[in-house]
Amino acid sequence: MAQILALSRSLHLQHPLRVGLASLYSRSMSSLDTRARAVFSAAVEAVQPDIVVRRGLERHGDKLLVGGQSFTLTNNLYLVGFGKAVLGMAAEAERIVGDHLIKGVVSVPHGIQNTLRNHGKAKMLLESHSRITVMEGAKHNLPDRDALKSAECIRELASGLTEKDVLLVLISGGGSALLPAPAPPMSLQEKQDVTRKLAAAGATIQELNTVRRALSLLKGGGLAQCANPAKVVALILSDVIGDPLDLIASGPTVRSDSRPEEVWAILDRYKLSDSLPSSVKEVLSKARPSELQVQEQPEPHEVKDHVSNVVIGSNTIALECASRKAIELGLRPVILAPGVCGDVRSVARLYGLLSSFACSPGKEPPPELAAEILQLGPDVGIESWDLCRTMNVLVEERKEGWGATCLLAGGEPTVQLTGKGRGGRNQELALRVGLELSGGEVKSGAVFLSGGTDGQDGPTEAAGAVTDGELMEEAMSQGLDIDGFLTNNDSFTFFSQLSEGRRLLMPGLTGTNVMDVHVMLLPPSPQRLPII
């Protein structure tokens, strides 16, 4: 362990711009809770639909520039899209491409137009004279008949294109549920049942998308195949850890290389294989028609070359902007990782350990803390290198007398459902981290925030919650049984009842989605306070 940390210490670290101590402490008058919320807001603002589209799409005369490539516009542009952020993306894309757009169809969440209008986000809505048809569906983020109808309209549009046309595809989080096209003879209900059971069993988004892709006509490159021979340009707002193109919205513009045995392995892992309907088993027992068509092409590379996929927004971008906001607020930012995953129990334990490591008394943190942090790494999707780098920075801060630290991370932990309460992974994570911060002999004063960048954490009105080491005492004083709420997966009800809901994170629907953002503010321990 000492050798690992010594190696980490010996490497040159890029430190952010240092703020003067006097300035830092004059700004510390504002609460850590307020600053944590401000950092989260900055992360969300950085990945707003109009901002990411302008970042990735440019028009110069009759030339459309995207992803380092140029496409000639001759009134030959068509547009399709699907996802929670697609409406705002489509509105900005139409402003950029202008009259060259002939027709478009976007599949968006049920009720999103009224919701955006009620939240004062008119710029995310299409103009009255728009050439894009908006179709709503996937109520409660589950594929339904409305989404099925939207998917069919998108498939028809793509199938009618020629080699002279350009298809602009807009993709964001939630796209899988909004583009259901079950492979026959499977019904939408049968496919939906498989997805629901997987999610309830705690399957990751990667596993869910792998199964959805195998059961769909449009996912796994099926949409791009329908549009062939037209040029396909996909702008992607990633909601998947690591931004894998084949998994974001189940990769409708990316040829699938997954094998049936991989899908069966996922179903076996969650003990669902034996209960599958016969139609689902039939689909999985043979290659899909779209895959056969690709294999029959005399030159398969031509099918691939007509598609360009460009990631224009991601959790990493959100964290970088959150880091800059932290500096403005007098905090020293440290980005841990953008790919935190695994069970919320393990993730909460990690944050509790990192708080203890940063704020433990004495000149050096106890070595057993570092050892336990590194041991947890594989369970939460964080490389040992990133953990060592983070701990090294925290140790340096103790020696240099810095003030409050802003630890940033992102990702998508999972919750295994054991109850029927209302909640989401962000609220449950915040609740569990609060217990970790409350359980130590010496409270660090750390504040933790976990929020979904789409503004919706599970089927609730909250994006997440903010917590600290006073949580347990506060709950006990109000007669709230934390363990009972956790057992019932009822974190939203808990935070709603606790102190009149003041700990809830309620930004409203944001119109974007790049997974979750975690913010932990670590105040300086008394022995580190500088003399001013």
Side-chain angles (χ1 to χ4, degrees):
M1 172 61 205
Q3 292 177 339
I4 294 176
L5 287 176
L7 173 62
S8 174
R9 293 191 186 107
S10 69
L11 296 174
H12 177 70
L13 294 173
Q14 296 291 328
H15 293 302
L17 178 65
R18 301 196 172 194
V19 181
L21 288 176
S23 173
L24 188 152
Y25 278 90
S26 66
R27 295 177 184 178
S28 67
M29 296 301 292
S30 61
S31 70
L32 292 181
D33 178 291
T34 299
R35 285 190 278 179
R37 292 173 186 268
V39 170
F40 174 77
S41 295
V44 173
E45 180 64 25
V47 288
Q48 286 297 293
D50 56 336
I51 292 175
V52 297
V53 168
R54 287 197 300 271
R55 186 186 298 138
L57 192 67
E58 297 180 44
R59 176 186 169 185
H60 298 283
D62 63 349
K63 298 294 183 182
L64 188 67
L65 304 180
V66 55
Q69 296 188 61
S70 176
F71 300 88
T72 301
L73 298 177
T74 56
N75 299 104
N76 59 340
L77 185 69
Y78 295 80
L79 183 150
V80 297
F82 28 90
K84 295 179 180 179
V86 155
L87 192 57
M89 294 171 71
E92 188 63 27
E94 188 169 23
R95 295 185 192 107
I96 293 173
V97 301
D99 291 342
H100 286 287
L101 177 63
I102 303 301
K103 183 181 180 181
V105 178
V106 293
S107 177
V108 298
H110 176 81
I112 192 171
Q113 294 179 94
N114 284 335
T115 302
L116 290 173
R117 192 175 292 110
N118 294 337
H119 281 73
K121 296 183 180 292
K123 69 177 182 179
M124 293 187 183
L125 300 174
L126 298 172
E127 301 290 343
S128 58
H129 58 274
S130 174
R131 301 184 182 184
I132 301 172
T133 299
V134 180
M135 305 183 72
E136 296 186 356
K139 196 172 185 179
H140 303 309
N141 201 32
L142 292 172
D144 55 21
R145 293 193 179 279
D146 288 334
L148 181 63
K149 183 178 179 181
S150 302
E152 180 59 24
C153 290
I154 288 173
R155 189 184 69 82
E156 288 180 0
L157 187 153
S159 299
L161 302 182
T162 71
E163 68 275 3
K164 297 179 180 180
D165 298 320
V166 177
L167 179 65
L168 182 62
V169 183
L170 307 177
I171 303 173
S172 74
S176 289
L178 288 160
L179 195 71
M186 181 177 48
S187 70
L188 174 61
Q189 184 62 48
E190 289 170 331
K191 181 182 176 184
Q192 188 174 347
D193 288 343
V194 173
T195 302
R196 185 186 294 112
K197 290 177 181 178
L198 275 173
T204 66
I205 187 64
Q206 291 90 340
E207 291 170 330
L208 283 169
N209 282 341
T210 297
V211 174
R212 286 169 176 160
R213 187 176 55 197
L215 302 179
S216 174
L217 290 175
L218 293 180
K219 298 179 175 69
L223 177 60
Q225 181 63 29
C226 285
N228 193 36
K231 296 180 179 64
V232 177
V233 183
L235 300 183
I236 302 167
L237 186 60
S238 173
D239 71 326
V240 182
I241 290 173
D243 307 331
L245 297 178
D246 59 330
L247 292 184
I248 302 170
S250 304
T253 57
V254 182
R255 181 177 175 181
S256 174
D257 292 323
S258 62
R259 301 180 302 276
E261 53 266 30
E262 296 177 31
V263 180
W264 281 113
I266 294 171
L267 296 169
D268 288 340
R269 187 174 305 130
Y270 296 101
K271 298 179 172 53
L272 296 176
S273 298
D274 293 338
S275 61
L276 292 175
S278 58
S279 60
V280 176
K281 294 180 180 179
E282 181 179 343
V283 171
L284 293 177
S285 68
K286 60 185 179 181
R288 291 174 299 152
S290 59
E291 290 176 335
L292 292 174
Q293 291 169 7
V294 171
Q295 294 169 2
E296 290 168 0
Q297 293 288 335
E299 296 184 28
H301 68 275
E302 291 182 357
V303 176
K304 179 176 64 177
D305 289 347
H306 82 287
V307 180
S308 298
N309 290 289
V310 183
V311 175
I312 58 175
S314 66
N315 193 270
T316 297
I317 292 173
L319 294 182
E320 289 171 351
C321 292
S323 177
R324 290 194 286 271
K325 182 63 176 181
I327 294 174
E328 292 177 13
L329 296 173
L331 305 165
R332 188 182 191 186
V334 182
I335 297 179
L336 174 61
V340 177
C341 59
D343 190 88
V344 290
R345 294 178 178 84
S346 299
V347 176
R349 179 59 180 160
L350 175 71
Y351 284 124
L353 290 170
L354 286 170
S355 174
S356 298
F357 183 90
C359 303
S360 59
K363 294 183 179 180
E364 293 279 348
E368 57 268 22
L369 278 178
E372 190 174 353
I373 288 170
L374 288 174
Q375 187 176 8
L376 266 176
D379 295 335
V380 297
I382 304 178
E383 297 289 342
S384 295
W385 166 251
D386 286 323
L387 290 170
C388 286
R389 171 182 54 79
T390 299
M391 288 189 285
N392 182 51
V393 173
L394 294 176
V395 168
E396 287 187 355
E397 289 173 354
R398 296 167 67 95
K399 296 178 180 178
E400 296 175 9
W402 270 83
T405 300
C406 179
L407 185 66
L408 295 164
E412 202 164 77
T414 55
V415 175
Q416 187 166 356
L417 299 179
T418 57
K420 298 181 179 180
R422 295 187 68 200
R425 60 178 178 268
N426 288 284
Q427 293 163 88
E428 182 155 333
L429 176 60
L431 180 49
R432 291 186 180 278
V433 171
L435 285 178
E436 293 285 342
L437 298 177
S438 301
E441 294 182 3
V442 179
K443 292 184 176 63
S444 68
V447 169
F448 178 81
L449 177 153
S450 183
T453 55
D454 62 356
Q456 295 177 307
D457 185 36
T460 76
E461 296 80 30
V466 185
T467 191
D468 56 31
E470 304 299 324
L471 180 75
M472 185 182 296
E473 184 177 346
E474 187 178 334
M476 290 178 62
S477 69
Q478 297 176 40
L480 299 176
D481 177 16
I482 293 179
D483 290 338
F485 284 104
L486 284 173
T487 300
N488 197 34
N489 298 117
D490 205 14
S491 53
F492 176 73
T493 302
F494 170 81
F495 280 115
S496 297
Q497 295 180 5
L498 182 71
S499 301
E500 299 180 342
R502 68 178 179 84
R503 291 179 179 270
L504 284 171
L505 184 63
M506 305 280 284
L509 187 67
T510 65
T512 190
N513 184 17
V514 292
M515 299 184 292
D516 306 332
V517 169
H518 304 157
V519 181
M520 186 158 70
L521 303 190
L522 301 164
S525 56
Q527 77 272 12
R528 289 191 286 156
L529 289 174
I531 299 175
I532 300 177

